[in-house]
């Protein structure tokens, strides 16, 4: 049985505590003691986790196996994570990594608007739930980024990791805690005046009419061709998500924290020289988002999606003291530590990764990656919270497949030839606690791992468009 | 996307300055028949019996390859419901309801760029957040109706909750907002809104407002919907209302006006001559200029100037748009003249910065015949300014190759960084460019990219003329045009290169492809080959005007058809 008794303690982690607690939209299968009781298996869930900039092969060689150095923060999850190396994406460079990760295919054209195929989370969603996800949200993506925000016109491969069958974004990430909160918990439940309630009924009536038009058009009598029907059906899915957020009934004991308050970060500035962030403020915002995201998964409001820590090729000028185990480990000063002081455009994290070969003395990028891993570790910890277990007594991290990867295997020359992937066991489907190698010469397509995962879920459909070889070592 | 430069390109930089790599084998294969491919298109008049379409091929041709026609019938091309982009949505609200909602633009779904343009159907998607915002926008628009009661009175003969009054209003306002007569099923989805108003004790006008709010979120408003019903063959002839919408959004990015609706009512729009007459009428409207400003804005990437730190950024954008307006519409000159026309428009500040004699207050026209360093868009600051106002030789070259010539430039090879050495005394940008042009693997692309940039080396990041760079290096402007379509044509300076481009058949072809992509609002596919060949064959080989291209497109049989999916698709 999923437990919720710790919900209120989580509120302390969220800014803006003290606002009203509202009841969550709740699914029948989650109610009372029957939660998952009828299911011998926990729900099928697959979440992807992405971090930007990549990691040199030599650093992987040196540290990934033992989870030392920049990977040390993941050591806490060593028993619950498997690692696979030797996987490549079809295309290289930032856009190649941005499109290839979790899809195994490249982008369409060269402007980063679309990929040539869907991401694994969307494939599994469709195959596991052909009538649509039973959860509140079909897909939920969150991203904490610096530059390359959609408001600046940045291409989707920079920040989208959930792609539908048409190669379009299955959803656009929520870029801050407030939007993430609203997407998950909606604005329903506020104390309403009679006038406000009437406005609500009115808005719902209008939306009912709109839904009716989309349903008619996507039905058999609608008369649309395949591509148009898919496009309109996608719009209808988004309307239904909004409808549930805005008007869904909320009769459950799964309660939510207060809405996050104002944040110290301003996102999405478009500037070649990057945007200045304090690492600790960045961490606080990310962790607030992780709290919300994990709660959404644990309360079964979403089963598929992506968490995105920094964009593909993000450009952030990190500043501030970095405390590890209570001690000052490093002082971020990307501006002062720039590897190329002749160009203001290089005073950012991105340039540290490009200057990073993984050989010689540790460089600033080591600490950047350590920071990234620490923050991803936080998300994993939240998903592994024993206070929130499924009917089989295991955590989300145990039961779901959490698939984690990045964009480049060698940031300096923009290579995507040996990009590591980490994954959780998917309720015993995959080996964890060890490293497996899929490499050959040339390296195996990343799609081989994705297809191996689909196969483990009993899905016949294959990704990547090429011949498929199972990564047998990954299977339990 | 920038063409990144390999570290290996500069291996001689710190030492002898001699390139150490082997000279690249090139990668330039010139086409002997540039711009001439295509049979001119087949007559696809379907009167002679069931048409036979070739197997659809909706893959785009490789960049830089010609769109070919094998002599078969025109294919209407792939069909995908295209969402109205922000300008189209706002124009539709304005023209249908008389409401200016331009201040709400940022709340509408974003228009992602794809294939160079922000109106490409494949990229016009929506998110859940967009849906929420759209609901709010619809409510706000209805609240701004200048005279709701008057609007209702204009669309129904009665305002009682009788059933007939509601239907009359829905049908009449729907024909305007949804751009065609409504079906019974559509009307039925909106009747409950009047019922809601009645149950709540509200007025008929309140119910009508809810109907308008719902229509603004309807797929028939939000998208350009063309159905595949009632067709037995591989394609269907569009009805007049569908043609009216295609035509009006094509020309002025707005819904059909009264004249087009009247023509559709009368069943006239299956006549190509009638369609041309409407094009000729619509191009005179300011809305058409606004639409083509978006074309040039996307084509030249003018949006990047919005983020430029240059104090001249707004002036540069103003110059490019005024020049385009004047040449394309006031003077109706071929689009290829954009490359070398001997005039421009400039603010007083920009004219002063450019060094024009006798700068005038405000935005003024300047004759460039006696100003040899200026000719056409190629020498305008809006085209020359890249990367936050930097003068990028590579980006300038890539712009000409990709956007003006539609040439194929492959992505850079693995093992690259984006930090070419900065110039220094004795070593200009050209100095480093010449090294990478002789160094494998850079040379294959950079022998094409960099010589174009050479012609523009005298212009700084704002497009201002300089005799030497900031380190006192003498600058040269001679180069050559070497692409897959050009065998290596030498030029001495920017003006000579501009004249060369303006007279080039491949540039005329590229203009056609750009206008066609923007007009169709979707990726061009191989299956568009015969339509493009027919358009190409009906305009001046020396270069078509924008209006000629529009007219040539609307008379094509495929303009008035929709492809029917094969069974199982």
């Amino acid at each position: 049985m999923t437990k919720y008794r710790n919900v209120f303690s989580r509120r302390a982690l969220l800014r803006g505590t003290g606002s009203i607690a509202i009841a969550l939209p709740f699914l029948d299968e989650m109610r009372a003691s029957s939660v998952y009781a009828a299911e011998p298996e926990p729900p099928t869930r697959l979440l992807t986790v992405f971090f930007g900039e990549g990691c040199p092969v030599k650093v992987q060689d040196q540290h990934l196996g033992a989870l030392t150095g920049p990977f040390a923060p993941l050591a806490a999850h060593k028993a619950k994570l498997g690692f696979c190396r030797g996987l490549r994406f079809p295309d290289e460079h930032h856009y190649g990594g941005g499109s290839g990760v979790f899809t195994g295919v490249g982008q369409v054209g060269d402007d980063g608007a679309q990929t040539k195929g869907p991401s694994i989370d969307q494939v599994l969603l469709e195959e596991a739930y052909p009538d649509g996800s039973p959860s509140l949200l079909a897909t939920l993506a969150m991203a904490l980024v610096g530059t390359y925000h959609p408001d600046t016109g940045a291409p989707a491969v920079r920040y989208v990791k959930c792609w539908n069958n048409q190669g379009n974004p299955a959803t656009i990430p929520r870029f801050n805690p407030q939007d993430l909160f609203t997407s998950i918990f909606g604005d329903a439940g506020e104390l309403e005046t009679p006038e406000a309630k009437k406005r609500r009924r009115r808005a719902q009536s209008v939306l009912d009419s709109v839904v009716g038009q989309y349903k008619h058009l996507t039905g058999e009598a609608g008369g649309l061709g395949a591509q148009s029907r898919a496009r309109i059906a996608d719009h209808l899915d988004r309307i239904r998500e909004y409808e549930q957020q805005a008007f869904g009934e909320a009769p459950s004991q799964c309660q939510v924290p207060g809405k996050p308050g104002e944040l110290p970060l301003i996102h999405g500035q478009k500037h070649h020289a990057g945007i200045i962030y304090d690492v600790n403020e960045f961490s606080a915002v990310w962790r607030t988002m992780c709290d919300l995201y994990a709660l959404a998964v644990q309360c079964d409001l979403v089963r598929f999606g992506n968490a995105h820590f920094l964009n593909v090729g993000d450009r952030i000028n990190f500043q501030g003291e970095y405390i590890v185990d209570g001690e000052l480990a490093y002082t971020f000063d990307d501006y002062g530590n720039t590897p190329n002081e002749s160009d203001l455009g290089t005073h950012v994290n991105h340039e540290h990764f490009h200057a990073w070969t993984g050989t010689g003395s540790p460089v600033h990028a080591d600490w950047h990656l350590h920071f990234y891993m620490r923050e991803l570790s936080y998300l994993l910890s939240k998903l592994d919270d024993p206070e929130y277990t499924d009917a089989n007594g295991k955590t989300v991290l145990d039961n779901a497949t959490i698939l984690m990867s990045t964009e480049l295997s060698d940031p300096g020359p923009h290579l995507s030839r040996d990009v590591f992937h980490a994954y959780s066991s998917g309720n015993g489907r995959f080996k964890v606690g060890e490293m497996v190698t899929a490499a050959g010469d040339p390296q195996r397509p990343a799609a081989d791992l994705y297809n191996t995962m689909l196969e483990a879920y009993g899905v016949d459909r294959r990704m990547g468009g090429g011949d498929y070889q199972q990564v047998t070592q990954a299977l339990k | 996307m920038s063409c990144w430069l390999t570290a290996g390109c500069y291996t001689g930089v710190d030492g002898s300055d001699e390139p150490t790599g082997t000279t690249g084998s090139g990668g330039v294969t010139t086409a002997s028949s540039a711009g001439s491919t295509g049979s001119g298109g087949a007559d696809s008049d379907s009167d002679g019996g069931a048409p036979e379409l070739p197997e659809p091929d909706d893959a785009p041709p490789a960049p830089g390859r010609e769109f070919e026609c094998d002599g078969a019938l025109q294919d209407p091309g792939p069909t995908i419901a295209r969402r109205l982009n922000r300008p189209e949505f706002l124009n539709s609200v304005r023209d249908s309801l008389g409401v200016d909602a331009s201040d709400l633009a940022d709340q509408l779904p974003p228009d992602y760029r794809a294939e160079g343009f922000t109106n490409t159907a494949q990229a016009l998607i929506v998110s859940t957040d967009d849906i929420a915002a759209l609901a709010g926008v619809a409510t706000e628009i209805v609240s701004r109706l200048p005279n709701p009661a008057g609007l209702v009175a204009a669309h129904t003969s009665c305002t009682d909750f009788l059933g007939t009054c509601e239907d009359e209003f829905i049908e009449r306002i729907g024909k305007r907002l949804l751009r065609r007569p409504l079906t019974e099923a559509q009307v039925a989805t909106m009747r409950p809104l009047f019922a809601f108003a009645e149950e709540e004790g509200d007025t008929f006008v309140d119910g009508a407002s809810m109907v308008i709010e719902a229509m603004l979120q309807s797929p028939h408003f939000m998208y350009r919907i063309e159905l595949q019903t009632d067709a037995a063959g591989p394609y269907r002839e569009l009805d007049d209302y569908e043609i009216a919408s295609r035509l009006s959004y094509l020309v002025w990015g707005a819904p059909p006006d009264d004249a087009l609706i009247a023509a559709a009512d009368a069943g006239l729009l299956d006549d190509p001559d009638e369609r041309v007459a409407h094009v000729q009428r619509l191009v005179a409207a300011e809305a058409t200029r606004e639409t083509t400003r978006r074309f040039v804005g996307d084509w030249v990437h003018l949006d990047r100037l919005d983020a430029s730190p240059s104090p001249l950024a707004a002036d540069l954008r103003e110059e490019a748009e005024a020049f385009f307006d004047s040449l394309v519409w006031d003077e109706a000159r071929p689009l290829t003249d954009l490359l070398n026309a001997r005039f421009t428009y400039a603010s007083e500040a920009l004219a002063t910065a450019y060094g024009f004699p006798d700068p005038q207050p405000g935005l003024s026209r300047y004759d460039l015949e006696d100003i040899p360093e200026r000719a056409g868009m190629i020498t305008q600051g809006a085209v020359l300014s890249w990367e936050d106002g930097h003068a990028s030789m590579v980006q300038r070259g890539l712009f000409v190759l990709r956007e003006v010539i539609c040439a194929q430039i492959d992505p850079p090879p693995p093992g690259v960084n984006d930090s070419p050495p900065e110039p220094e005394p004795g070593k200009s940008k050209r100095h480093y460019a010449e090294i990478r042009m002789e160094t494998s693997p850079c040379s294959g692309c950079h022998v094409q990219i960099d010589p174009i940039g050479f012609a523009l080396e005298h212009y700084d990041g704002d497009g201002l003329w300089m005799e030497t760079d900031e380190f006192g290096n003498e600058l040269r402007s001679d180069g050559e045009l070497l692409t897959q379509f050009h065998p290596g044509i030498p030029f001495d300076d920017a003006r000579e290169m501009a004249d060369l481009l303006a007279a080039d058949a491949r540039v005329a072809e590229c203009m056609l492809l750009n206008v066609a992509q923007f007009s169709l609002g979707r990726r061009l596919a191989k299956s568009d080959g015969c339509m493009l060949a027919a358009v190409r064959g009906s305009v001046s080989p020396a270069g078509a005007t924008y209006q000629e291209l529009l007219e040539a497109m609307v008379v094509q049989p495929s303009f008035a058809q929709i492809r029917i999916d094969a069974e199982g698709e």
Side-chain angles (χ1 to χ4, degrees):
Chain A
M1 172 180 172
T2 304
K3 303 169 184 174
Y4 304 104
R5 62 176 178 269
N6 200 31
V7 165
F8 286 99
S9 67
R10 285 171 165 265
R11 296 175 60 181
L13 297 171
L14 294 163
R15 294 157 194 263
T17 55
S19 56
I20 61 169
I22 60 173
L24 280 179
F26 209 63
L27 301 168
D28 287 344
E29 65 187 49
M30 290 181 62
R31 291 178 191 281
S33 59
S34 66
V35 173
Y36 303 143
E39 294 183 287
E41 289 282 315
T44 298
R45 293 176 291 213
L46 193 151
L47 307 169
T48 57
V49 179
F50 173 84
F51 67 95
E53 312 296 359
C55 174
V57 168
K58 289 181 179 175
V59 174
Q60 298 180 45
D61 291 342
Q62 189 176 354
H63 294 295
L64 190 58
L67 295 180
T68 56
F71 293 109
L74 295 181
H77 312 288
K78 187 168 187 174
K80 294 193 175 187
L81 290 179
F83 293 85
C84 183
R85 293 191 54 190
L87 298 168
R88 63 175 167 79
F89 301 137
D91 300 324
E92 297 185 320
H93 304 282
H94 291 298
Y95 283 19
S99 56
V101 64
F102 311 134
T103 68
V105 295
Q107 61 173 325
V108 177
D110 62 0
D111 49 25
Q114 291 180 291
T115 58
K116 293 176 181 172
S119 52
I120 184 173
D121 55 297
Q122 296 302 296
V123 174
L124 187 57
L125 188 161
E126 280 194 9
E127 297 294 329
Y129 303 105
D131 296 327
S133 172
S135 58
L136 172 74
L137 299 167
T139 305
L140 179 64
M142 71 169 192
L144 186 58
V145 305
T147 46
Y148 306 124
H149 187 278
D151 287 350
T152 66
V157 296
R158 291 273 192 190
Y159 51 80
V160 168
K161 294 294 166 282
C162 299
W163 303 93
N164 65 19
N165 289 331
Q166 288 75 46
N168 285 315
T171 186
I172 303 295
R174 279 55 165 176
F175 290 94
N176 60 63
Q178 294 95 337
D179 287 349
L180 182 64
F181 179 96
T182 302
S183 294
I184 299 169
F185 304 119
D187 289 325
E190 298 291 342
L191 293 174
E192 293 180 300
T193 63
E195 292 75 21
K197 287 180 178 175
K198 181 178 178 181
R199 280 198 300 273
R200 215 167 125 74
R201 288 197 304 275
R202 181 186 185 280
Q204 189 162 8
S205 294
V206 170
L207 199 63
D208 286 345
S209 170
V210 173
V211 167
Q213 295 175 57
Y214 279 87
K215 283 173 69 175
H216 175 75
L217 204 50
T218 53
E220 286 190 9
L224 290 174
Q227 288 191 63
S228 294
R229 189 165 54 248
R231 176 56 56 93
I232 300 300
D234 185 64
H235 191 122
L236 177 57
D237 286 345
R238 302 288 86 76
I239 291 178
R240 283 173 164 152
E241 288 180 359
Y242 163 64
E243 188 176 30
Q244 293 202 60
Q245 289 171 22
F247 307 112
E249 293 298 319
S252 90
Q253 65 270 57
C254 188
Q255 296 181 327
V256 300
K259 188 170 186 176
E262 290 299 315
L263 297 164
L265 304 182
I266 300 171
H267 302 270
Q269 291 182 357
K270 183 180 183 181
H271 202 293
H272 187 63
I275 186 167
I276 300 171
Y277 283 152
D278 179 277
V279 284
N280 297 303
E281 290 182 344
F282 199 80
S283 170
V285 174
W286 167 256
R287 292 178 180 213
T288 303
M289 295 174 76
C290 289
D291 291 345
L292 292 168
Y293 197 97
L295 188 59
V297 179
Q298 287 152 344
C299 291
D300 201 32
L301 303 176
V302 67
R303 298 181 179 184
F304 298 89
N306 169 256
H308 197 282
F309 189 78
L310 301 189
N311 270 331
V312 169
D314 216 336
R315 306 182 75 87
I316 302 177
N317 176 348
F318 277 119
Q319 300 284 313
E321 295 183 341
Y322 184 54
I323 308 296
V324 177
D325 295 333
E327 294 187 2
L328 177 63
Y330 176 71
T331 300
F332 280 93
D333 180 13
D334 286 349
Y335 189 92
N337 293 326
T338 183
N340 179 0
E341 296 184 11
S342 66
D343 183 351
L344 283 176
T346 62
H347 290 261
V348 290
N349 64 329
H350 175 267
E351 303 309 317
H352 289 295
F353 279 83
H354 278 309
W356 196 20
T357 63
T359 59
S361 302
V363 293
H364 306 293
D366 286 296
W367 286 110
H368 279 270
L369 186 60
H370 190 281
F371 171 49
Y372 302 173
M373 292 300 108
R374 189 187 77 171
E375 299 309 307
L376 297 191
S377 175
Y378 181 84
L379 175 61
L380 298 178
S381 297
K382 286 296 157 188
L383 295 173
D384 199 28
D385 188 341
E387 294 295 321
Y388 298 84
T389 55
D390 290 336
N392 62 3
K394 297 179 182 176
T395 66
V396 169
L397 185 62
D398 295 321
N399 284 331
T401 295
I402 310 297
L403 178 62
M404 190 164 80
S405 191
T406 184
E407 51 171 311
L408 298 171
S409 61
D410 265 317
H414 292 93
L415 302 183
S416 304
R417 296 175 180 177
D418 187 359
V419 183
F420 83 88
H421 287 61
Y423 42 81
S424 61
S425 77
N427 196 25
R429 290 178 175 84
F430 312 111
K431 287 181 186 174
V432 291
E434 60 186 277
M435 175 75 66
V436 302
T437 303
D441 189 17
Q443 287 89 346
R444 296 265 292 277
D448 280 358
L449 177 65
Y450 308 152
N451 286 324
T452 299
M453 292 185 153
L454 292 175
E455 193 169 354
Y457 275 95
V459 172
D460 294 331
R461 187 170 156 194
R462 296 290 170 257
M463 300 171 59
D467 295 334
Y468 158 57
Q469 297 180 58
Q470 191 184 70
V471 184
T472 53
Q473 295 175 65
L475 295 173
K476 193 163 186 175
Chain B
M1 182 186 303
S2 65
C3 189
W4 298 52
L5 310 173
T6 69
C9 298
Y10 307 104
T11 45
V13 167
D14 293 331
S16 66
D17 285 351
E18 292 298 321
T20 56
T22 57
T23 301
S25 60
V28 183
T29 304
T30 56
S32 59
S33 58
S36 63
T37 309
S39 66
D43 178 5
S44 64
D45 188 339
S46 59
D47 290 341
E52 289 295 331
L53 282 175
E55 193 67 26
D57 188 345
D58 292 338
R65 294 291 302 275
E66 291 290 338
F67 286 79
E68 297 173 346
C69 179
D70 59 5
L73 296 180
Q74 287 186 17
D75 184 333
T79 304
I80 181 167
R82 186 166 83 74
R83 174 173 66 71
L84 301 185
N85 65 10
R86 285 175 170 179
E88 291 168 337
F89 183 99
L90 296 171
N91 289 347
S92 300
V93 169
R94 179 199 62 202
D95 291 359
S96 303
L97 298 173
V99 172
D100 178 5
S102 52
D103 58 314
L104 306 177
D106 288 346
Q107 298 179 43
L108 296 171
D111 301 331
Y112 298 109
R113 178 189 292 271
E115 298 298 312
F117 294 98
T118 55
N119 69 345
T120 305
Q122 287 86 347
L124 294 175
I125 58 171
V126 296
S127 68
T128 311
D129 294 342
D130 294 332
I131 299 296
L134 272 170
V137 166
T139 304
E140 176 63 22
I141 288 169
V142 168
S143 76
R144 295 183 186 185
L145 288 171
N147 178 8
L151 182 73
V152 170
H155 291 86
T156 184
S157 56
C158 54
T159 56
D160 298 314
F161 291 111
L162 300 173
T164 52
C165 302
E166 294 92 319
D167 282 7
E168 182 184 3
F169 177 79
I170 293 168
E171 288 167 3
R172 291 181 61 183
I173 193 76
K175 184 177 177 184
R176 168 63 71 187
L177 270 168
L178 308 186
R179 307 183 283 273
R180 62 171 301 113
L182 272 57
T183 64
E184 167 55 25
Q186 287 176 288
V187 174
T189 62
M190 284 174 265
R191 284 191 191 115
L193 298 173
F194 276 110
F196 175 90
E198 187 177 16
E199 287 169 11
E200 294 278 337
D202 293 335
T203 66
F204 190 94
V205 173
D206 292 328
S209 297
M210 292 175 70
V211 167
I212 294 171
E213 213 171 304
M215 286 185 177
L216 290 171
Q217 300 170 73
S218 161
H220 298 277
F221 180 83
M222 288 289 302
Y223 289 84
R224 303 262 302 280
I225 299 291
E226 294 168 349
L227 303 180
Q228 297 201 353
T229 50
D230 305 324
Y235 63 79
R236 174 176 74 82
E237 302 293 334
L238 296 176
D239 70 26
D240 281 73
Y241 298 100
E242 291 167 325
I243 296 173
S245 279
R246 275 199 184 185
L247 210 152
S248 63
Y249 283 103
L250 166 79
V251 178
W252 64 1
D257 62 356
D258 289 341
L260 264 172
I261 291 291
D265 287 341
L268 301 175
L269 294 177
D270 62 345
D271 178 358
D273 293 338
E274 181 76 10
R275 300 200 290 265
V276 169
H278 282 285
V279 169
Q280 292 169 346
R281 181 177 63 81
L282 297 176
V283 294
E286 173 61 21
T288 300
R289 292 189 179 219
E290 290 174 4
T291 297
T292 52
R293 267 178 225 134
R294 288 195 291 279
F295 166 79
V296 72
D298 285 350
W299 177 50
V300 186
H301 304 249
L302 290 180
D303 283 352
R304 72 184 189 281
L305 292 169
D306 297 342
S308 171
S310 168
L312 288 171
D315 304 78
L316 296 177
R317 181 168 191 142
E318 189 179 40
E319 177 193 22
E321 291 179 340
F323 169 75
F324 184 88
D325 264 4
S326 180
L327 186 139
V328 168
W329 296 118
D330 296 339
E331 302 186 15
R333 290 169 61 175
L335 288 169
T336 45
D337 284 5
L338 290 167
L339 279 308
N340 72 335
R342 301 295 201 260
F343 74 91
T344 193
Y345 282 80
S347 64
E348 185 173 15
L350 184 59
T352 302
Y354 276 170
F356 289 168
D358 194 21
Q360 299 295 307
L363 185 68
S364 303
R365 180 183 171 111
Y366 293 87
D367 188 341
L368 302 180
E369 283 295 349
D370 297 327
I371 302 177
E373 64 267 27
R374 302 279 166 189
M377 295 194 78
I378 293 293
T379 61
Q380 290 179 4
V383 171
L384 294 164
S385 177
W386 289 91
E387 296 176 352
D388 292 350
H390 284 70
S392 169
M393 179 179 287
V394 172
Q395 291 291 358
R396 290 169 175 178
L398 283 172
F399 170 77
V400 171
L401 285 168
R402 288 179 168 155
E403 314 300 345
V404 177
I405 297 175
C406 296
Q408 177 180 6
I409 295 294
D410 290 332
V416 296
N417 67 63
D418 64 347
S419 300
E422 289 291 309
E424 57 184 275
K427 296 176 181 176
S428 66
K429 287 184 179 177
R430 182 173 183 136
H431 166 84
Y432 293 114
E434 288 173 340
I435 292 174
R436 67 179 172 246
M437 287 168 59
E438 294 182 3
T439 305
S440 178
C442 315
S443 56
C445 290
H446 282 279
V447 294
Q448 301 175 70
I449 299 168
D450 294 342
I452 294 172
F454 291 168
L456 306 171
E457 204 180 359
H458 275 287
Y459 303 91
D460 72 8
D462 283 337
L464 310 187
W465 182 263
M466 53 187 184
E467 290 295 339
T468 63
D469 69 14
E470 59 188 304
F471 300 100
N473 297 310
E474 292 294 326
L475 300 175
R476 288 169 51 188
S477 57
D478 58 302
E480 66 172 357
L481 193 59
L482 174 63
T483 76
Q484 65 198 108
F485 304 101
H486 306 90
I489 307 171
F491 52 78
D492 286 335
D493 55 28
R495 178 178 274 203
E496 207 170 299
M497 181 179 76
D499 288 343
L500 198 159
L501 291 170
D504 189 78
R506 178 61 196 176
V507 173
E509 172 72 3
C510 188
M511 291 292 184
L512 163 63
L513 299 180
N514 282 322
V515 172
Q517 153 89 47
F518 181 75
S519 300
L520 293 175
R522 62 166 170 79
R523 287 195 173 90
L524 296 179
K526 289 178 183 173
S527 53
D528 291 314
C530 289
M531 179 276 290
L532 291 167
V535 171
R536 186 188 302 124
S538 65
V539 298
S540 167
T545 68
Y546 203 107
Q547 183 171 337
E548 284 172 341
L549 289 175
L550 292 178
E551 292 179 13
M553 279 189 278
V554 302
V555 301
Q556 300 309 316
S558 59
F559 182 80
Q561 297 166 345
I562 179 174
R563 186 202 289 169
I564 305 300
D565 288 348
E567 198 143 328
E569 278 190 73

